[in-house]
Amino acid sequence: ADMDKNAALAQLGLSGGEDPGMVAKAYSARLATVQEKLISAQTEADRIHSQTQLSQLVEAFERVTQIGRYTSVRDTADAATSMRTPQEIAARLPMPGDTSIRMETGAVLSDRIEIGELLGSGGMGNVYAARDHLKEEDVAIKVLREDLTITTAAGSSRSPK
């Protein structure tokens, strides 16, 4: 069942009177915390719990901002629901300062994951080789395309370094 607006506001720690910039900032802060938990998950149960929290956070953000599955019906002759373009969504949501992570060889995420070479690109994003220094193993990281981050789990803002 979809969450109601009050539950969505509570999930984001908001009262409902915030402007779009404050909504984006609150979402960004909570998103970064959940992503940290997901990256550092030691067990399958912890990983699943963090993924569930991430999904709930994204749903709350979509509900409060009326994007994604909660996109408002437009004023059209037949009142048909239509998808907004990423540009329309971006215009509605001012972003807090640029906190994007530079995905380049040698960059280190969360003092743990060192980015390696680009392995491939696809319709949804890029896949990079990486090294998890905590577990001392090679991993792969899939990064969503920039133009898709506004309406997906990556959210309207990127994780801070």
Side-chain angles (χ1 to χ4, degrees), residues 36-96:
E36 281 291 325
K37 287 180 186 174
L38 186 57
I39 289 169
S40 62
Q42 298 296 310
T43 67
E44 184 69 6
D46 286 346
R47 188 181 63 75
I48 291 168
H49 179 71
S50 293
Q51 286 176 330
T52 301
Q53 284 184 312
L54 189 63
S55 295
Q56 290 170 343
L57 196 57
V58 171
E59 183 178 354
F61 181 72
E62 289 179 349
R63 181 70 179 92
V64 170
T65 57
Q66 296 186 326
I67 61 172
R69 72 196 93 175
Y70 297 106
T71 301
S72 311
V73 174
R74 294 195 180 171
D75 294 328
T76 59
D78 60 356
T81 300
S82 58
M83 293 298 291
R84 292 193 174 132
T85 66
Q87 293 77 18
E88 288 175 304
I89 293 167
R92 287 176 42 136
L93 297 170
M95 297 299 123

Side-chain angles (χ1 to χ4, degrees), residues 82-113:
S82 58
M83 293 298 291
R84 292 193 174 132
T85 66
Q87 293 77 18
E88 288 175 304
I89 293 167
R92 287 176 42 136
L93 297 170
M95 297 299 123
D98 181 14
T99 57
S100 58
I101 295 172
R102 309 288 181 241
M103 294 303 289
E104 54 195 30
T105 302
V108 178
L109 310 179
S110 302
D111 298 322
R112 173 178 176 177
I113 308 289

